[in-house]
Amino acid sequence: MSLRRAGPPRITRADDTHLLQVDKRPFTRGKTEMPQERILARYAVETPLSLEAAAEAMAGASTATFVDVPGLTDRLRRRVATSVERIIPGDVVDAPGLPGARGANAAQQATAYRRGEVVLSFPIEGVGTNLPALISMTMGNFFALSQVSGMRLLDLELPESFGRAYPGPQFGIEGTRRLAGVHGRPIIGTIIKPNLGLSPEQTAQKVRQVAEAGVDFIKDDEVMVNPPHSPLKQRVAAVMRVINSFADRTGKKVMYAFNISDELDAMLRHHDLIAAAGGTCVMVSVNSVGYMATLGLRRRCHLPIHAHRNGWDMLTRCPHLGIEFTAWQKLWRLIGVDHLHVNGLGNKFWEPDDSVVASIQAVMAPLFGGHHIVPVIGSGQWAGQAPQTFSRAKTQDLIYLAGGGIFGHPGGAASGVMSIRQAWEAAEKDMALETCASTHVELRQALEKFGSLRS
Amino acid sequence: MSLRRAGPPRITRADDTHLLQVDKRPFTRGKTEMPQERILARYAVETPLSLEAAAEAMAGASTATFVDVPGLTDRLRRRVATSVERIIPGDVVDAPGLPGARGANAAQQATAYRRGEVVLSFPIEGVGTNLPALISMTMGNFFALSQVSGMRLLDLELPESFGRAYPGPQFGIEGTRRLAGVHGRPIIGTIIKPNLGLSPEQTAQKVRQVAEAGVDFIKDDEVMVNPPHSPLKQRVAAVMRVINSFADRTGKKVMYAFNISDELDAMLRHHDLIAAAGGTCVMVSVNSVGYMATLGLRRRCHLPIHAHRNGWDMLTRCPHLGIEFTAWQKLWRLIGVDHLHVNGLGNKFWEPDDSVVASIQAVMAPLFGGHHIVPVIGSGQWAGQAPQTFSRAKTQDLIYLAGGGIFGHPGGAASGVMSIRQAWEAAEKDMALETCASTHVELRQALEKFGSLRS
């Protein structure tokens, strides 16, 4: 048998978004008896076989048996076996989304690929509450199966035992608002740029300007951790000197998310250093650090964890492969980050607005009845996106990050911050930005410089 | 501006493997003066803009500056700036590999997408030797850029300072051979199946059968860690009782890779438990545990780390997105795993043989002049793949995992193991399997049952 790399997909219909569409209906568990807790996982699948055969391959891969084992009774098998709960057929296309799938006739390239959704359930008895085992079970070898030409995890439903086994967020929106002293409006933040090259003293100087401009929140860039030109220890000392003295003078303590992404020991050491200096937030690039080290930090930290998702797009940008944010963000809320990046409307990146809105909604939806965290809106943001963000996300419980929208404002950074606050006030009152701008010069200048509200 | 999800790619030429082809030439560093260590990264890029514009967007994203900062001198900028080292133009195609790319005219869908390779270099001064910062720099927001419709990291070249900052493998092939007592041939291993459902005593019973059949190495399945029906502590006690008594009796100590994937504290605790019971290997699902917790284990472990790569295919199966194994495996060797899964020839999964061979070669190539680890060959393996694996990978310094190829052998498991050893002996002598089978009944039975050698 020779495997050949499949060509690019040629879809038979105009609708190529099928594999990205998330079914918002709640999981139904079919007719299977479920005497114990079960983990549910929903996938978009594409296969040259039947959807039933693909689903069976998935179920088989997760509890594979190739020998008869004396003493492995049917009762025991049932206790650990994966069940196919539901199959929802979709389109049929004439070329595969991913290379390497093999049809029933292995010698020939298949000519029809069936798309659909498959819901599996796994008894918790199989993996217990071990999180790496859960990840390996639901996001492991399924992506490697030759029975499929598309495999995307759409959603996960975890039983209560997982909620009890992991800490969840420690601060969420309430704790973050309390520490930042911001209520009734979004927490307005910015990033220290340039990413690289500033000394600790230069960074602190920038922080002073930004604090005086009125921002509530500042974060390090994701590639700025502990380089020779800005050792974290000195950066923390220099920045906290400015923040603490600004707080003494004005009563406002700006929240600074120091990027401590590192080995676990170092993260804990730096966390303690930041807490001792009066800092109120730590930042972690969660994909670059990984699940278990972030959890190790959460187990011992006393500050909100600001989760930066850089690297995330590698897991989601191919519509035929990977995972949806809806599923992924549940793992991080379980682990217990407090803030999670979700991109922004009209962003600079590839992601469409609908996807950003779905991410905000996913983060806001209760998990285990709570586990509320703060969506972090960023990328190309200025005053202009406030009305649409508010009308679509229906919340002000968020961190709203702007760079050029603050520093590029013709009236200076303070006017930039003010224009964003004015825009959010207008959005909350359902007032058009143009109307609000007629009495608010900062917003008017922002609209003139950055263009009007996106339609 | 409205973003629309792009349709599927329609490639203008038959050659769709462009983005997967790894250029084996060594990096050249162009004419740029490099007074300090630099990190080199090579990408396959597809863009509706020019390749130069895409490369500039990448360089800009990694050291973005949107304000003039007093005191940030040109000298300092040079010390931290990303350089575009090389651009190698490739094909032009008429539809994007990934959704969300925007051409020069944002209102219109582009009609031409340029493919090519881009080599960037980053001065080590920018990130120091912080591994998460390196990962965020080279595998972070590049995948999110709207300037590209394809983004794949092909290779990384790390300066010596990284080699000094991280432990690297502790055992590699020599240490593993010493502990397993296997020399001059592949280490033959198997997986305990079924994955789930066996009690510790049933697992130990299986281990006894498998040890008596002559295998050198046994591993837990990736979803089997510490579930209620097989607590790790009891599994270690039961399995090591069998392995130690078999070793006392025969002088052969089978290496068992216990899956300890978990929070770092638990991994260290379980590692100590296994070492105390006389165990000689621990296994980690590295994607499910993450970079920094695996490194935390490596910093304190005294046993070889068997790295299972489940979940890897999510990062690589889409040819337009993600990373090549060549780049990824360097991170794990730096961190210091000892064994790393590479799939196998004629595997059950989607991956073509050429890709498997490239992975074996990548793992065998020196890193920092050494850092040799053991490629783990598995999935659908039996005696039949030995000649081709040997002739293409040119090594017997590997772990060769078989399941059905051992337990499905008509003569029983011992004959299954024997058939694999005979096949590797034949391969080393450059003797056809059929010739060897004429005097070796176990190999003959394997060929009769599992089919002849793949052509």
Side-chain angles (χ1 to χ4, degrees):
Chain A
M1 184 183 56
S2 101
L3 296 183
R4 61 190 201 80
R5 216 175 269 288
R10 294 180 304 275
I11 308 298
T12 50
R13 297 173 32 160
D15 173 18
D16 187 39
T17 59
H18 178 82
L19 287 179
L20 271 176
Q21 279 167 4
V22 178
D23 181 355
K24 297 292 183 201
R25 285 172 296 177
F27 281 115
T28 58
R29 304 196 180 190
K31 285 169 186 167
T32 314
E33 271 187 72
M34 301 224 181
Q36 60 169 353
E37 288 188 318
R38 295 184 83 85
I39 298 149
L40 287 154
R42 190 155 56 85
Y43 298 86
V45 170
E46 183 190 280
T47 178
L49 309 171
S50 68
L51 285 167
E52 289 70 21
E56 285 305 323
M58 295 170 74
S62 49
T63 44
T65 300
F66 52 62
V67 282
D68 274 331
V69 180
L72 186 67
T73 62
D74 276 354
R75 191 186 57 77
L76 189 59
R77 272 184 219 274
R78 258 202 315 278
R79 270 176 58 200
V80 297
T82 302
S83 300
V84 178
E85 295 291 330
R86 205 174 56 179
I87 295 174
I88 307 167
D91 298 343
V92 178
V93 297
D94 64 7
L98 297 174
R102 287 172 229 167
N105 181 349
Q108 258 188 318
Q109 175 84 32
T111 53
Y113 296 83
R114 287 160 196 84
R115 291 179 171 183
E117 285 187 15
V118 170
V119 179
L120 301 181
S121 81
F122 314 88
I124 198 168
E125 175 73 17
V127 293
T129 56
N130 183 285
L131 196 54
L134 172 83
I135 295 167
S136 291
M137 177 85 101
T138 58
M139 300 170 229
N141 277 342
F142 290 168
F143 301 108
L145 291 175
S146 62
Q147 289 91 343
V148 302
S149 51
M151 176 60 65
R152 195 167 165 89
L153 175 65
L154 300 177
D155 206 354
L156 269 181
E157 190 180 292
L158 301 175
E160 289 292 337
S161 297
F162 274 90
R164 284 190 297 272
Y166 294 96
Q170 187 174 190
F171 290 87
I173 183 64
E174 292 77 14
T176 298
R177 286 197 177 286
R178 181 168 35 80
L179 287 172
V182 177
H183 300 277
R185 61 172 179 80
I187 295 166
I188 297 170
T190 195
I191 307 116
I192 293 292
K193 299 259 179 181
N195 303 346
L196 296 175
L198 298 184
S199 68
E201 277 311 323
Q202 289 169 327
T203 304
Q205 210 176 312
K206 282 279 300 169
V207 168
R208 182 176 295 113
Q209 293 166 19
V210 166
E212 280 165 1
V215 304
D216 309 309
F217 178 95
I218 308 172
K219 62 177 275 294
D220 280 330
D221 189 86
E222 72 265 23
V223 297
M224 164 57 70
V225 185
N226 197 12
H229 68 274
S230 183
L232 187 63
K233 194 171 168 184
Q234 275 114 283
R235 192 160 82 251
V236 169
V239 166
M240 289 314 300
R241 205 177 303 126
V242 165
I243 286 177
N244 289 332
S245 102
F246 186 80
D248 290 345
R249 188 150 52 85
T250 65
K252 180 178 179 67
K253 185 151 196 176
V254 175
M255 179 175 276
Y256 192 105
F258 289 100
N259 187 356
I260 61 168
S261 306
D262 210 324
E263 305 192 34
L264 180 54
D265 288 355
M267 290 200 292
L268 293 171
R269 204 167 58 240
H270 290 144
H271 163 275
D272 293 350
L273 182 82
I274 291 160
T280 53
C281 191
V282 293
M283 168 170 144
V284 176
S285 290
V286 291
N287 290 309
S288 305
V289 163
Y291 296 110
M292 291 299 110
T294 305
L295 178 56
L297 170 65
R298 170 62 187 90
R299 293 272 188 213
R300 283 184 44 196
C301 82
H302 309 295
L303 299 174
I305 298 173
H306 185 86
H308 197 294
R309 73 174 193 183
N310 65 85
W312 157 246
D313 304 83
M314 177 169 28
L315 310 181
T316 207
R317 189 168 174 179
C318 173
H320 310 293
L321 182 67
I323 52 184
E324 287 277 342
F325 189 79
T326 310
W328 185 76
Q329 53 95 29
K330 288 182 183 174
L331 299 178
W332 293 107
R333 288 165 72 187
L334 191 65
I335 285 170
V337 303
D338 295 286
H339 313 156
L340 183 57
H341 281 232
V342 294
N343 212 341
L345 298 186
N347 63 77
K348 297 177 298 186
F349 294 122
W350 74 279
E351 193 179 1
D353 285 357
D354 286 352
S355 173
V356 175
V357 171
S359 296
I360 299 172
Q361 288 167 342
V363 165
M364 307 290 296
L367 180 67
F368 305 115
H371 278 45
H372 293 296
I373 64 169
V374 188
V376 181
I377 314 280
S379 179
Q381 301 299 294
W382 61 286
Q385 292 101 328
Q388 210 173 80
T389 305
F390 184 68
S391 75
R392 297 197 66 180
K394 298 187 177 52
T395 185
Q396 298 200 65
D397 285 340
L398 42 83
I399 295 174
Y400 193 76
L401 296 178
I406 291 176
F407 297 106
H409 193 284
S415 297
V417 173
M418 191 53 71
S419 70
I420 292 172
R421 291 182 58 164
Q422 290 163 353
W424 276 93
E425 280 165 26
E428 203 200 358
K429 292 179 194 149
D430 202 16
M431 180 194 285
L433 287 194
E434 289 73 9
T435 312
C436 179
S438 66
T439 53
H440 293 79
V441 61
E442 294 86 357
L443 183 55
R444 193 174 69 240
Q445 288 175 318
L447 291 174
E448 282 163 8
K449 169 94 184 265
F450 302 119
S452 63
L453 185 59
R454 297 171 77 228
S455 60
Chain B
M1 185 184 55
S2 99
L3 297 183
R4 61 190 202 78
R5 217 175 269 287
R10 293 182 303 275
I11 308 298
T12 50
R13 297 175 31 161
D15 172 19
D16 187 41
T17 59
H18 179 82
L19 288 179
L20 272 176
Q21 280 167 2
V22 178
D23 181 355
K24 298 291 182 202
R25 285 173 295 176
F27 281 115
T28 59
R29 305 194 180 191
K31 286 169 184 166
T32 314
E33 272 187 72
M34 302 224 181
Q36 60 170 352
E37 288 187 318
R38 296 183 82 86
I39 298 149
L40 286 155
R42 191 157 54 87
Y43 299 87
V45 170
E46 183 191 280
T47 177
L49 310 171
S50 68
L51 285 167
E52 290 70 21
E56 284 305 322
M58 295 171 74
S62 49
T63 44
T65 299
F66 52 63
V67 284
D68 273 332
V69 180
L72 187 67
T73 63
D74 275 354
R75 190 187 57 79
L76 189 57
R77 272 183 219 273
R78 259 201 314 278
R79 271 176 57 200
V80 297
T82 303
S83 300
V84 178
E85 295 291 330
R86 205 174 56 178
I87 296 175
I88 307 167
D91 299 343
V92 178
V93 297
D94 64 6
L98 296 174
R102 287 172 230 166
N105 181 348
Q108 258 188 320
Q109 175 84 33
T111 54
Y113 295 84
R114 285 160 198 85
R115 292 179 171 183
E117 286 188 14
V118 170
V119 179
L120 301 181
S121 80
F122 314 87
I124 198 168
E125 175 74 18
V127 294
T129 56
N130 183 286
L131 196 54
L134 172 83
I135 295 167
S136 291
M137 177 86 101
T138 58
M139 300 170 227
N141 277 341
F142 290 168
F143 301 108
L145 292 175
S146 61
Q147 288 93 342
V148 302
S149 52
M151 177 60 65
R152 194 166 167 87
L153 175 64
L154 300 178
D155 206 353
L156 268 181
E157 190 180 293
L158 301 175
E160 288 292 337
S161 297
F162 274 90
R164 283 191 298 272
Y166 295 95
Q170 187 174 189
F171 291 86
I173 183 66
E174 292 78 14
T176 299
R177 285 197 178 286
R178 182 169 33 81
L179 288 172
V182 177
H183 300 277
R185 61 171 178 82
I187 295 165
I188 297 170
T190 195
I191 307 116
I192 292 291
K193 299 258 179 181
N195 304 346
L196 296 174
L198 297 185
S199 68
E201 278 310 326
Q202 288 169 328
T203 305
Q205 210 176 311
K206 280 279 299 168
V207 168
R208 182 176 294 112
Q209 292 165 20
V210 166
E212 281 165 3
V215 305
D216 309 309
F217 178 95
I218 308 173
K219 62 176 276 294
D220 280 331
D221 189 86
E222 70 265 22
V223 297
M224 163 57 70
V225 186
N226 198 11
H229 68 273
S230 183
L232 186 62
K233 193 171 169 182
Q234 276 115 282
R235 192 159 83 252
V236 169
V239 166
M240 288 315 301
R241 206 177 302 127
V242 165
I243 286 177
N244 289 333
S245 102
F246 184 80
D248 289 345
R249 189 150 51 86
T250 65
K252 180 178 179 67
K253 186 152 197 175
V254 175
M255 179 175 276
Y256 192 104
F258 289 100
N259 186 356
I260 61 168
S261 306
D262 209 325
E263 305 193 33
L264 180 54
D265 288 355
M267 289 199 293
L268 293 171
R269 204 167 56 240
H270 290 144
H271 164 274
D272 294 349
L273 181 82
I274 290 160
T280 54
C281 191
V282 294
M283 168 172 144
V284 176
S285 290
V286 291
N287 290 308
S288 306
V289 163
Y291 296 109
M292 291 299 110
T294 305
L295 178 56
L297 170 66
R298 170 62 187 89
R299 292 272 188 212
R300 283 182 44 195
C301 83
H302 308 296
L303 299 174
I305 298 174
H306 184 87
H308 197 294
R309 72 174 195 182
N310 65 85
W312 157 246
D313 304 83
M314 177 169 27
L315 310 181
T316 208
R317 190 167 174 182
C318 173
H320 310 292
L321 182 69
I323 52 185
E324 286 278 343
F325 188 79
T326 308
W328 185 76
Q329 53 95 28
K330 288 183 182 172
L331 299 178
W332 293 108
R333 288 165 72 186
L334 192 64
I335 285 170
V337 304
D338 295 286
H339 312 157
L340 183 57
H341 281 232
V342 295
N343 212 340
L345 297 186
N347 63 77
K348 297 177 300 187
F349 295 122
W350 74 279
E351 193 179 2
D353 284 357
D354 285 352
S355 174
V356 175
V357 171
S359 296
I360 298 172
Q361 288 167 342
V363 165
M364 306 291 295
L367 180 67
F368 305 115
H371 278 43
H372 293 295
I373 63 169
V374 188
V376 181
I377 314 279
S379 179
Q381 302 300 293
W382 60 286
Q385 291 102 329
Q388 210 172 81
T389 305
F390 183 68
S391 74
R392 298 197 64 180
K394 296 185 180 52
T395 185
Q396 297 199 66
D397 285 340
L398 42 81
I399 296 174
Y400 193 76
L401 297 177
I406 291 176
F407 297 106
H409 193 283
S415 297
V417 173
M418 192 51 72
S419 69
I420 293 172
R421 290 182 58 164
Q422 291 163 353
W424 277 93
E425 280 164 25
E428 204 201 357
K429 292 179 194 150
D430 202 18
M431 179 193 286
L433 288 193
E434 288 73 9
T435 312
C436 179
S438 66
T439 53
H440 293 79
V441 61
E442 295 85 358
L443 183 55
R444 193 175 68 240
Q445 287 176 318
L447 291 174
E448 283 163 7
K449 168 94 184 265
F450 302 119
S452 64
L453 185 60
R454 296 172 76 228
S455 60

